[in-house]
Structures are given as structure tokens and as C-alpha cells.
Amino acid sequence: MASNGYDVIIVGGGMGGLNLAALLSKEGRRVLVLEKGGRESLGGRAASGKVGSSAVDNGIKGLILAGTQDEVFRRIGKKLPENVCRWTNSGQVHMNGEWRKLDEIVRGSIGEFAKVYMNTTSEWSYDEIEGINDVSIEEFVTQRTDDQGVIDFFRYLGWLFGGTLSMPLDYSAGSLFYSVKKQFDTLGRYPSQSYWVKGGSGAIAGPLVEATEENGGEIRTSCSVSRVVIERGTVRGVDVEVGSRRVPTELVDTERIEAPVVVSAVAIWDIFNILSEDDLSPWYADRLRHLHRKTLNLATLTYGHTDRELWDFSGPRWTQEGPVSGRPWCASDLEYGEDESEYQVTFWMQLGWWDKPNVFEMREASHKAALERLFDDFEGDVRALFPGIVEDSKWRLRSFGPATIMETPGYVGSSLVDIEAQGVDGLYLIGERTRAAKVMGVYGAAQVALAAAERILAR
Ligand SMILES: Cc1cc2nc3c(=O)[nH]c(=O)nc-3n(C[C@H](O)[C@H](O)[C@H](O)COP(=O)(O)OP(=O)(O)OC[C@H]3O[C@@H](n4cnc5c(N)ncnc54)[C@H](O)[C@@H]3O)c2cc1C
């Protein structure tokens, strides 16, 4: 049995795990991070790959809510990579067969718009905003105005925050306003600009790894945790797989590493790979299962270009109904390349749990075929609305995967699980959509890590 005197074991080297590791090791805790992927996969779903000289992301297209991640970097004494996003969110929307500027949709209704948007953000407290967690954006806005421009704007704003969701009915007003207020309070501006860092989203992981190791933390990669060890309601450590499989079905040996605190920083849908439902209280286990079913998948199409005539760089585009796919999606340009003459145009489409194919059924051939069709139709939309992009691209990348847990009324705030696992002393769960995350995505991972660090340091 190996103990080595670790104070905290963190399972998973994604943004949640790395943020927490950096924060705890800065405060002198002996931290061990265990990541099943190789060193290049530190950062998890936010890690970036490379095509030629360009960094490409696993679909991450905007690090929303700059604020919580900045806070972590401030505490660990590191600098965030440079923001290379040059446009604001005021792009164009394709509706009823034509492109319309988002600003123009709102301009005529600015008074009404300010009443709903600015007043809610600036005059409501966080508690009041959390009081509307279970109210949809659509419901919230239509109760306050019958101005169609304003209603339309919030519909697209729902898209901005929820991506391309066609259903503002399914997006929580509390969640939206919490994100906006948080950004306004921490950075002094409304989310008018996205935050894309030089080197891709994965560039945020580097300084977190560095800070952890500089402060005596340990990060083991290619190390898969097979289970969290819990005895009589108390965490004892983890079992990790040792050696590699000689045949795919081999049951490999495990080694136990002990620690009084174990943090699961794996995505919520992976939790039952390392924990038994019986270890948790029935309510808690049931709630986790439920969240799993609210997963939102993202399909992205990215094209690499050197011809700057192909994209007009006037900001992002939203499509209400793709001419071939019939689905809503967003598009924008990215300039990630070390080679300044190269840029990327990326298109992303969200698929809810109600949609097929479901990412969790992807091992079935029929679902793989459905996914191929989806991408072919998606590319058909791009060909129709942006001539030249598909035909003249230097490279193309298709990606599909679980992006987040949907911020649907009934699935935010107090209805979510706490980071301290009910029923087990010393076990923390920091996967997204735990109650402390408040906001989604990479900044949610930073926020939940800040909350977990506070609780663990207070033990
Ligand atoms: C296609 C796509 C687009 C996205 N777009 C955006 C965006 O625009 N903006 C935004 O803010 N967010 C976006 N997100 C969401 C963002 O990537 C995630 O919210 C965030 O990266 C989650 O971090 P995490 O640490 O909680 O989880 P993960 O990144 O999933 O990290 C979990 C880690 O645990 C490891 N692990 C799992 N099981 C084990 C085990 N048994 N043993 C050891 N290690 C294990 C995994 O390998 C992984 O590295 C997107 C995600 C996807 C997939």
C-alpha cells in the first residue's frame, strides 16, 4: 500500500482537477493528480491539439465568463495567456432566409431591452437572481415585455450562452443573469467579447500544471483510477491500475494510494466508473444519474484557411434553421495559428439529450451512421450559406462529444448536488453542474475548484 503522505488525491487532470491542484498546492497541501490520458491530454476536454502550425480545440469556442479563471491565476501568481479574440458578440443572425445584424434587432427597442437586461443584471442581488433559476429565459422575458425585438434578442442571447439551442424555454434565466452579473462584477463589462486565448483553450492548462509542480504537487499521467476506496462511510484513497493490458479484456492489477481526501474531478457521466452507487446516499446517487441524462453534446466543424476573403470577420453568425440540416447552429472565425496568415472558421451545433445520436450510444454502428449523416447535412448548410469555405479549406476537422450539462430550469442551483458527497466523509465531487459551479464550461470548472479549495482547506 502506497501512502506517501498525500493530503489530497485528485482523480482527473481536466480544468477542474488542475485548477484545484494548483490552488491547494499553493497553500502547502501535498496533492497528487491522477490522469488516465497522456501528458498531452492534461486539460481534459479543454486540451488543444495541433494541425500544422495551428492549435485546434476539442470544440471549445469561447471561454465565457472571464472572471473565475482569472481569480485562480491571480491566486497562484500566474498570467492568463493573451486574449486573441478580435470581434464582439454583436454578429449576424440568419432568420427567415436573410442575414440580420443582432444590434439592429435590438436597436429599435433599446429602452425595453435595457429594462430587462441591464436592470436585472445590475439591480438584482445574486440571491434574487438565483431565485429565478427555475424560470426559463422565454418565460422571464415575455412576462416583462411584449416587444418582439427584445424577445428575439433574448432568444439569441440564450444561444450565446447555451450555444445554439433552439429552445430558450429550456434555458434558465437565473443561470444566464448569474453569468452576466458575475462577468460585470469581476471584469467591469458585459460579455460583449469572447475570450479565446493564444495557443487554444489548452494553453490555460500549462500554467496550472507548472504551478502545481512548482509547489511540490505531483501529476501522474497514463494512470487510470479504477475505484475510490471507501470504508464505513470514510474515504481511504484510490486504487489505480498498474501495468498495461496484454489482451483487451485482461483484469489488471491495482495499487492502492491512500489519502484522507479524494476529489473526483472526472466528468459527471464518468463518476460511476470510479464510484459505486451504493457508496453514496440514494438521493445523491439518483441525482447524479439524472444529471447524466441532461448532457448536451456538441458537433463542431472547423476549417483551416489562408484566404481572408472567405470570411468577412464581422463577428459571429447564428443560423436559426440550416438550409440542409434544418437545425440551428453558430459560426465564427478564430486566429490561433503561429502562422499569422492562417485562420480557422468553426461551426458548432448543440444536440440535446432529446436528440439522436446520443454520444453515450456511439459504440453502436447505427448511431455512427447517424452521426456521419448529421455532419454531411451540417456541411451542406455551410456550403449553402458560406460558399468557398468548404471547397477551399486547407484542412477540415469534425468533432463530437459531451460538452456540458444543460442549464435547464430544475437543473441549476439548489436542485444540483453539493461538492461534498453526501454520505462519505472526505469525498468531493467537482464535475461540472455541481451546485458550486454556478456557471458552465471552463469557467464553471474554475469556479467549482475555488469553492472546493475553500472547503478542503477549512477541514
Ligand atoms: C466539444 C466541446 C465544446 C465545448 N465548448 C466550450 C466553450 O465554448 N466554452 C467553455 O467554457 N466550455 C466549453 N466546453 C466545456 C468544457 O470543455 C468543460 O466544461 C470543461 O473542460 C470540463 O472540465 P472538467 O475538468 O470538469 O472535465 P474534463 O475536462 O472532462 O476532465 C476530466 C478528466 O478526468 C480524466 N479521467 C476520467 N476518468 C478517469 C479515471 N478513471 N482515472 C483518471 N483520470 C480519469 C479524463 O481523462 C479527463 O482528463 C466544451 C466541451 C466540449 C466537449
Side-chain angles (χ1 to χ4, degrees):
M1 242 190 259
S3 153
N4 298 326
Y6 297 114
D7 297 316
V8 182
I9 292 174
I10 298 173
V11 187
M15 289 302 186
L18 292 180
N19 272 303
L20 181 61
L23 288 166
L24 291 177
S25 43
K26 176 81 183 164
E27 297 299 323
R29 297 298 187 275
R30 266 219 78 202
V31 174
L32 172 66
V33 178
L34 301 169
E35 165 55 48
K36 74 174 176 188
R39 191 132 176 126
E40 72 294 343
S41 61
L42 287 172
R45 275 173 290 150
S48 299
K50 273 219 144 176
V51 180
S53 69
S54 288
V56 283
D57 290 341
N58 180 31
I60 309 258
K61 294 304 166 225
L63 302 177
I64 51 161
L65 203 75
T68 52
Q69 189 62 71
D70 307 51
E71 174 64 23
V72 174
F73 271 62
R74 207 165 31 248
R75 289 197 197 178
I76 62 171
K78 295 281 174 193
K79 264 185 79 173
L80 265 177
E82 182 197 343
N83 183 7
V84 290
C85 178
R86 301 189 210 295
W87 46 258
T88 67
N89 278 338
S90 49
Q92 295 178 50
V93 183
H94 194 259
M95 51 201 297
N96 309 322
E98 57 169 0
W99 287 106
R100 288 182 63 193
K101 288 206 163 120
L102 196 59
D103 286 348
E104 281 165 14
I105 300 177
V106 178
R107 196 168 297 142
S109 332
I110 197 76
E112 279 296 307
F113 166 73
K115 250 197 296 188
V116 182
Y117 184 78
M118 318 269 187
N119 294 0
T120 312
T121 312
S122 55
E123 286 171 17
W124 289 38
S125 68
Y126 284 108
D127 280 350
E128 283 170 320
I129 286 177
E130 289 193 63
I132 51 166
N133 272 340
D134 292 336
V135 176
S136 74
I137 292 178
E138 181 126 317
E139 209 182 322
F140 182 78
V141 176
T142 50
Q143 275 167 8
R144 278 158 184 80
T145 179
D146 50 13
D147 186 318
Q148 198 53 45
V150 179
I151 294 170
D152 278 350
F153 180 81
F154 276 91
R155 180 161 287 137
Y156 302 123
L157 206 67
W159 287 7
L160 272 180
F161 280 83
T164 51
L165 280 176
S166 51
M167 296 186 210
L169 257 181
D170 235 329
Y171 195 75
S172 152
S175 207
L176 167 77
F177 285 110
Y178 188 95
S179 299
V180 176
K181 186 175 175 68
K182 186 86 186 166
Q183 177 154 342
F184 191 71
D185 288 351
T186 41
L187 297 177
R189 60 172 161 79
Y190 286 108
S192 57
Q193 195 189 27
S194 247
Y195 198 174
W196 294 340
V197 296
K198 198 179 177 87
S201 64
I204 296 180
L208 298 173
V209 170
E210 234 174 67
T212 303
E213 293 180 337
E214 280 165 8
N215 290 309
E218 201 184 318
I219 300 177
R220 283 191 215 171
T221 50
S222 305
C223 184
S224 186
V225 170
S226 72
R227 72 177 184 115
V228 176
V229 183
I230 297 163
E231 285 167 7
R232 290 182 294 282
T234 302
V235 120
R236 299 285 174 211
V238 297
D239 283 346
V240 295
E241 293 183 352
V242 286
S244 51
R245 290 184 168 79
R246 288 160 296 181
V247 293
T249 52
E250 184 174 10
L251 293 181
V252 290
D253 289 339
T254 59
E255 174 197 325
R256 183 152 304 173
I257 310 176
E258 292 186 320
V261 173
V262 172
V263 180
S264 162
V266 306
I268 241 163
W269 41 85
D270 282 336
I271 272 180
F272 293 118
N273 292 340
I274 56 168
L275 273 173
S276 154
E277 264 192 52
D278 300 336
D279 291 329
L280 303 169
S281 75
W283 176 86
Y284 202 89
D286 184 59
R287 210 58 213 169
L288 285 172
R289 283 244 174 265
H290 225 70
L291 279 174
H292 179 143
R293 288 196 289 269
K294 300 297 278 187
T295 305
L296 207 71
N297 303 315
L298 223 104
T300 64
L301 265 172
T302 307
Y303 301 92
H305 281 282
T306 47
D307 181 355
R308 303 188 73 80
E309 298 296 307
L310 288 174
W311 182 261
D312 77 359
F313 294 93
S314 67
R317 305 290 192 103
W318 290 266
T319 303
Q320 211 179 27
E321 201 177 310
V324 180
S325 70
R327 292 170 185 265
W329 44 259
C330 308
S332 64
D333 62 287
L334 278 173
E335 292 177 72
Y336 272 177
E338 283 155 27
D339 172 0
E340 302 246 312
S341 64
E342 191 174 277
Y343 69 98
Q344 296 173 31
V345 183
T346 186
F347 300 81
W348 68 105
M349 180 191 279
Q350 287 194 342
L351 300 144
W353 71 92
W354 61 87
D355 260 316
K356 292 288 173 190
N358 179 330
V359 74
F360 298 106
E361 295 162 350
M362 283 305 299
R363 270 163 296 183
E364 291 173 38
S366 59
H367 292 288
K368 285 186 190 154
L371 191 63
E372 287 290 323
R373 270 199 307 279
L374 174 90
F375 271 106
D376 289 346
D377 290 351
F378 193 5
E379 195 159 81
D381 290 345
V382 179
R383 283 178 199 277
L385 293 180
F386 299 93
I389 293 274
V390 176
E391 298 78 1
D392 299 336
S393 61
K394 283 172 70 184
W395 51 264
R396 177 190 77 184
L397 190 134
R398 293 174 165 191
S399 79
F400 183 73
T404 191
I405 306 286
M406 180 102 162
E407 296 179 301
T408 302
Y411 287 87
V412 285
S414 56
S415 55
L416 296 178
V417 293
D418 190 37
I419 43 180
E420 272 173 63
Q422 246 180 33
V424 187
D425 183 47
L427 176 64
Y428 293 78
L429 307 178
I430 66 163
E432 58 205 309
R433 309 316 302 143
T434 47
R435 199 176 303 164
K438 311 263 191 200
V439 292
M440 65 181 176
V442 172
Y443 286 90
Q447 173 125 328
V448 83
L450 283 162
E454 199 175 298
R455 301 248 202 121
I456 292 168
L457 291 170
R459 276 177 75 88

